[in-house]
């Protein structure tokens, strides 16, 4: 099974699902006006690779990075891009942690200017990727009409 052969795919999938749930919870609560001190229209930036998930359309233009946890949050991880943007945007960068994402009442915590609040540990990882290629000759030799 994939779980046995590739245990990291299960971890990745569950982290991705948890993050997506957290983002949707935040988005829904924001649109309902339930995120205190923040009102306005959100722009979804999740597919832009810009270092945050949402941006407020109108002034003041805040950027929101949403992190999720199935249970109580035991810690979070920033990508290099997210941390760079947190440092660059300062007071405009808002970290949102949604914990207990599967419960009826998830908990939402807001941290303004996380680059000023936290001193994260830097982890540099060297990754090995395995790719499989099929060259053009094989494709041509095995072409079906």
């Amino acid at each position: 099974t994939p779980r046995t052969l590739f245990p990291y795919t299960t971890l990745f999938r569950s982290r991705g699902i948890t993050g997506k749930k957290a983002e949707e919870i935040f988005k829904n609560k924001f649109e309902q006006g339930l995120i205190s001190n923040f009102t306005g229209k959100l722009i979804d930036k999740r597919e832009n690779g810009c270092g945050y998930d949402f941006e407020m359309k109108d002034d003041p233009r805040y950027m929101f990075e949403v992190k999720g946890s199935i249970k109580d949050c035991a810690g979070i991880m920033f990508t290099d891009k997210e941390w760079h943007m947190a440092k660059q945007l300062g007071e405009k960068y808002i970290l949102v942690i949604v914990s207990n994402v599967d419960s009826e009442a998830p908990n939402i915590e807001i941290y303004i200017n996380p680059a000023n609040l936290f001193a994260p540990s830097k982890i540099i990882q060297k990754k090995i990727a395995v790719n499989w290629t099929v060259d053009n000759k094989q494709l041509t030799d095995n072409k079906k009409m």
Side-chain angles (χ1 to χ4, degrees), residues 60-120:
R61 288 185 92 105
Y62 291 110
M63 288 57 165
F64 299 92
E65 174 57 31
V66 181
K67 302 290 185 184
S69 177
I70 292 175
K71 297 183 179 178
D72 290 334
C73 186
I76 58 166
M77 182 182 75
F78 284 96
T79 65
D80 192 49
K81 177 85 171 227
E82 291 164 352
W83 191 246
H84 175 75
M85 292 307 296
K87 291 192 304 187
Q88 182 179 331
L89 293 169
E91 296 286 326
K92 298 287 186 179
Y93 196 92
I94 312 298
L95 171 63
V96 179
I97 299 178
V98 182
S99 55
N100 300 306
V101 296
D102 287 334
S103 75
E104 292 291 321
N107 185 43
I108 298 176
E109 295 178 25
I110 305 286
Y111 298 90
I112 299 170
N113 195 2
N116 192 46
L117 295 174
F118 306 120

Side-chain angles (χ1 to χ4, degrees), residues 14-24 46 66-69:
S14 66
R15 285 180 64 191
I17 291 167
T18 302
K20 287 183 189 326
K21 280 184 181 179
E23 291 163 358
E24 289 305 314
R46 290 178 281 187
V66 181
K67 302 290 185 184
S69 177

Side-chain angles (χ1 to χ4, degrees), residues 11 15 77-79 121-128:
L11 174 65
R15 285 180 64 191
M77 182 182 75
F78 284 96
T79 65
S121 299
K122 183 177 185 178
I123 300 171
I124 299 173
Q125 295 176 321
K126 189 175 193 178
K127 296 185 181 185
I128 297 173

